[in-house]
Amino acid sequence: PSNREITKINEAVSELIVDSAIPFNWTSSPAFYKFMHALRPDLFTKTEKTQIKSGVLDKQPKNIRGRVWHASSELDSLFEKRMLAVQKEVEQSEELAFAADGWQSEDGRKVLNLAITVRETGREYYWKSVELGTETESASFMQRTVTQVMIGLPLKKFKCIIGDNTSHVIKFLEAIASTPETSHVTPIGCFAHRFNLLAGDVVETFKTFFVDLERAINKLHVKPQMRALFDAARKEKNVTKQLETYCQT
């Protein structure tokens, strides 16, 4: 095969890895060499073919790119190609929406992740991540962040921006609304995120309720007077009915 064909094959492998979320080290494993040999034996030298048949090929074949190549230069190249395709689709679309998601690491580092949704296709694309540092409460800083994020985008096509309830996302939505170039973009709270918070609050509330109820029952059960009353009630001769597990309604 020609050098151009070898490059195209390796690029196709990179796309397979990214789209299928396969670990990059797969491309440096004997199992991968055997797989590629079954598809394209002409990619391997005579020595490599012999080693594959005997199961001893453990070095990277000459024409097969390994983990380092896929995870560095080719990954960067693939990202650039994907971003060019996204920009083309964004330019051709009539209506767009932004999605903002706030994230904070254990050491307090805040990051704003942004995605673009194309109305005509329903596709959602990652756009960029912005590290916010410690200036998230500053309105001027957030306005500069808006400018940084929106560079190269057709602003008039954006109709809304959806964000969660983290403090730096709320500040970002406020900056979107107060910036003249993006003031037409309607900020919308994420209902899925709000429902998740609501469900968490409900679970936490009932968790406390059931813990308190269990404690109350345990306190009643251990008191001799209450235990005597429960035992007496069980022994009542005039008790003819008991709790039924099934009742017609």
Side-chain angles (χ1 to χ4, degrees):
S2 64
N3 290 336
R4 184 176 181 181
E5 188 177 6
I6 292 172
T7 300
K8 289 183 67 176
I9 291 171
N10 283 292
E11 288 175 348
V13 170
S14 278
E15 292 198 27
L16 171 65
I17 290 172
V18 171
D19 291 339
S20 304
I22 299 172
F24 287 113
N25 61 3
W26 176 59
T27 58
S28 295
S29 66
F32 176 69
Y33 306 153
K34 188 175 181 180
F35 170 74
M36 291 300 294
H37 180 264
L39 295 178
R40 291 294 302 265
D42 56 328
L43 291 173
F44 297 83
T45 65
K46 290 183 179 180
T47 302
E48 290 168 350
K49 290 178 181 179
T50 302
Q51 290 176 335
I52 286 177
K53 290 178 181 178
S54 59
V56 296
L57 179 61
D58 56 1
K59 293 183 179 180
Q60 196 73 39
K62 178 183 177 182
N63 294 325
I64 304 297
R65 302 292 180 263
R67 178 185 62 82
V68 175
W69 183 83
H70 287 287
S72 55
S73 59
E74 178 54 24
L75 186 62
D76 292 340
S77 176
L78 182 58
F79 177 77
E80 291 176 3
K81 290 177 183 177
R82 295 286 176 90
M83 289 306 295
L84 287 174
V86 170
Q87 288 177 340
K88 185 177 180 180
E89 185 169 353
V90 165
E91 289 171 0
Q92 293 175 346
S93 174
E94 293 299 324
E95 293 184 356
L96 302 166
F98 249 129
D101 177 63
W103 177 82
Q104 183 169 328
S105 64
E106 292 181 356
D107 61 359
R109 186 168 57 91
K110 295 180 180 180
V111 176
L112 183 66
N113 302 302
L114 294 145
I116 297 174
T117 300
V118 179
R119 186 188 67 82
E120 289 86 349
T121 62
R123 292 176 179 170
E124 187 176 21
Y125 298 104
Y126 165 80
W127 179 241
K128 63 177 61 178
S129 295
V130 181
E131 188 168 345
L132 301 178
T134 59
E135 297 183 83
T136 55
E137 301 302 319
S138 167
S140 60
F141 172 79
M142 275 301 180
Q143 286 184 335
R144 292 197 301 272
T145 302
V146 170
T147 303
Q148 176 187 349
V149 166
M150 296 296 191
I151 288 178
L153 292 175
L155 299 183
K156 293 183 179 180
K157 294 184 179 182
F158 283 90
K159 305 302 179 183
C160 65
I161 177 167
I162 302 171
D164 60 27
N165 293 329
T166 55
S167 60
H168 46 296
V169 169
I170 291 174
K171 290 289 183 182
F172 182 73
L173 297 185
E174 291 174 353
I176 288 278
S178 62
T179 301
E181 293 80 7
T182 56
S183 59
H184 64 282
V185 180
T186 304
I188 301 174
C190 176
F191 289 104
H193 189 266
R194 291 181 179 180
F195 182 79
N196 181 57
L197 293 176
L198 175 62
D201 290 342
V202 171
V203 169
E204 192 63 30
T205 301
F206 276 94
K207 179 182 177 181
T208 305
F209 168 75
F210 284 118
V211 168
D212 292 341
L213 180 61
E214 182 181 5
R215 289 173 180 169
I217 292 173
N218 289 337
K219 286 181 180 179
L220 290 174
H221 185 65
V222 296
K223 288 187 176 182
Q225 297 91 341
M226 294 303 300
R227 180 175 294 177
L229 288 173
F230 284 134
D231 291 340
R234 293 193 192 99
K235 295 175 182 178
E236 282 286 340
K237 293 182 180 179
N238 61 350
V239 176
T240 58
K241 297 287 288 183
Q242 62 181 4
L243 182 65
E244 297 177 356
T245 57
Y246 172 79
C247 297
Q248 289 186 348
T249 58

